[in-house]
Amino acid sequence: MPHFPPSPPSPSDPSGSLTLLPPSQYKTCRIRVPDQEGSLAAIQANGEFYSFFRVVNNWAEAERLGSRLQKAGDRLQITQLPKGLAIWIWESEAIAKKSR
């Protein structure tokens, strides 16, 4: 498994710093958003939903992409997966999909 350096405050922090969200601080789920048909893979962190955006191979890529997304006005979270780092984008109107 790749090793990624620790970094500063939360990605949702207004300072715009990017960090790796520890597994203990989120849970995976499925969500629905008004502009999409079907459900989306997501995480729930701090009572907010973030939809899956992309997996990148290393921290440098995550920082580059994360900075661009933040400059465009997106809030995001980054988590570690076995195949790299997942970038998740905040969904302001998300609703948790009910389990069957």
Side-chain angles (χ1 to χ4, degrees), residues 78-96:
I78 300 173
T79 62
Q80 188 166 351
L81 299 177
K83 294 186 179 193
L85 296 165
I87 297 177
W88 307 84
I89 296 179
W90 180 59
E91 295 289 350
S92 62
E93 299 179 35
I95 298 169

Side-chain angles (χ1 to χ4, degrees), residues 31-100:
I31 59 171
R32 292 188 180 278
V33 293
D35 59 341
Q36 296 277 328
E37 286 191 32
S39 64
L40 303 173
I43 60 170
Q44 183 178 16
N46 301 317
E48 298 179 321
F49 293 106
Y50 297 80
S51 65
F52 174 75
F53 179 67
R54 183 177 300 164
V55 172
V56 296
N57 295 320
N58 57 55
W59 187 253
E61 286 181 69
E63 285 184 310
R64 275 193 300 275
L65 183 54
S67 292
R68 280 192 303 195
L69 290 167
Q70 286 178 326
K71 284 178 185 171
D74 288 311
R75 288 174 45 195
L76 56 111
Q77 297 283 0
I78 300 173
T79 62
Q80 188 166 351
L81 299 177
K83 294 186 179 193
L85 296 165
I87 297 177
W88 307 84
I89 296 179
W90 180 59
E91 295 289 350
S92 62
E93 299 179 35
I95 298 169
K97 182 181 178 210
K98 296 188 193 263
S99 307
R100 291 185 182 194

